[in-house]
């Protein structure tokens, strides 16, 4: 038995069935502030368009350019809270309302026909992430087909997991060829937010579209759920600790 509302159950069922949900940004003002800040910053570097940034920045310059943007966005004291507000009501339902958030927000920039920015098929849990985490993936442009990312469905992910020993001798390309007919290519527009289960295999391919993909990602988890390699205070920070938890964490038994 649970006491979730019909709307909460719908969100839950969608997430469990698909492995992800896409919804309108819960706080458009916060989203627009993030996008506007990034556009203003890259304009000072001679780049006037997110979608067309490959026309201003060369592939050789791309990684240093991306790192500069990441450094700048994480230097803004307001940005992580704004990022959280974009997804807050959905995180409340899917994860909980006492949360830990990744201490740094990540940014991906994928130029058309660029094979230097690929993320091979993987699940984050394979490399030390907790299965209690979700990823909030925020597009700064419209993303579709190979200008987006893919995610393996929960049913197909279970089949892969049950037979994973059959794939341990191959490389990531062989693994992708095994699952490529079962992945969901995420179609998501600017103004929407994606939350997905990072324990399901996912990644991207060479961007065959004519525009550049800009997307941000950040992990969230229940504050009191188990951690693996990425610890609280190192990789994660508490962001919504509630009063009773604060009291309980300070509580000491009377001395006898």
């Amino acid at each position: 038995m649970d006491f979730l509302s019909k709307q909460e159950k719908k969100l839950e069922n969608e997430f469990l069935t698909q492995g992800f949900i896409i919804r309108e940004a819960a706080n458009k003002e916060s989203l627009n502030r993030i996008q506007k800040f990034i556009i203003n910053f890259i304009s000072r570097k001679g780049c006037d368009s997110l979608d067309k940034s490959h026309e201003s920045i060369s592939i050789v310059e791309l990684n240093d350019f991306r790192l500069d943007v990441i450094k700048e966005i994480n230097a803004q004291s307001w940005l992580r809270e704004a990022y959280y507000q974009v997804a807050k009501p959905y995180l409340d339902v899917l994860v909980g309302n006492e949360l830990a958030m990744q201490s740094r927000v990540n940014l991906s920039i994928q130029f058309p026909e660029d094979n230097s920015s690929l993320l091979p098929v993987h699940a984050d849990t394979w490399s030390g992430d907790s299965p209690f985490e979700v990823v909030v993936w925020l597009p700064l442009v419209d993303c579709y087909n190979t200008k987006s990312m893919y995610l393996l469905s929960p049913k197909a992910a279970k089949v892969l997991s049950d037979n994973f020993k059959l794939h341990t001798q191959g490389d990531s390309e062989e693994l992708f060829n095994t699952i490529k007919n079962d992945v969901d290519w995420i179609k998501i527009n600017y103004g929407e937010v994606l939350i997905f289960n990072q324990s399901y295999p996912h990644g991207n391919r060479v961007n065959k579209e004519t525009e550049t993909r800009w997307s941000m990602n950040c992990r969230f988890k229940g504050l009191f759920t188990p951690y693996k390699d990425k610890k609280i205070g190192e990789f994660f920070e508490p962001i919504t600790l509630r009063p009773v938890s604060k009291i309980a964490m300070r509580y000491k038994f009377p001395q006898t």
Side-chain angles (χ1 to χ4, degrees), residues 131-199:
F132 288 85
E133 300 169 22
V134 298
V135 174
V136 174
W137 199 89
L138 199 59
L140 298 173
V141 293
D142 294 347
C143 297
Y144 54 90
N145 299 334
T146 55
K147 191 190 170 190
S148 188
M149 60 164 281
Y150 63 80
L151 180 70
L152 190 62
S153 69
K155 186 179 292 186
K158 184 179 186 310
V159 172
L160 176 64
S161 180
D162 290 344
N163 297 279
F164 199 70
K165 62 183 178 181
L166 302 176
H167 306 287
T168 54
Q169 301 305 312
D171 59 19
S172 59
E173 187 65 16
E174 290 178 39
L175 181 57
F176 176 76
N177 287 330
T178 301
I179 66 172
K180 65 182 180 181
N181 293 328
D182 296 311
V183 301
D184 292 312
W185 283 95
I186 304 298
K187 184 180 185 304
I188 181 170
N189 294 324
Y190 175 73
E192 297 177 319
V193 59
L194 164 71
I195 302 177
F196 70 90
N197 183 339
Q198 43 81 54
S199 65

Side-chain angles (χ1 to χ4, degrees), residues 42 46-58 65 109-112 140-141 144 147 207 209-214:
I42 67 171
C47 183
D48 297 325
S49 167
L50 297 179
D51 274 317
K52 299 298 181 183
S53 51
H54 56 280
E55 297 176 359
S56 304
I57 308 295
S58 71
F65 174 76
I109 307 172
Q110 191 179 10
F111 287 173
L140 298 173
V141 293
Y144 54 90
K147 191 190 170 190
N207 179 4
E209 316 311 320
T210 60
E211 300 169 329
T212 296
R213 169 167 73 89
W214 284 71

Side-chain angles (χ1 to χ4, degrees), residues 77-94:
S77 60
W78 56 268
L79 192 134
R80 286 174 68 247
E81 181 177 358
Y83 198 102
Y84 164 63
Q85 292 297 332
V86 172
K88 180 185 182 301
Y90 315 125
L91 289 169
D92 284 351
V93 175
L94 297 176

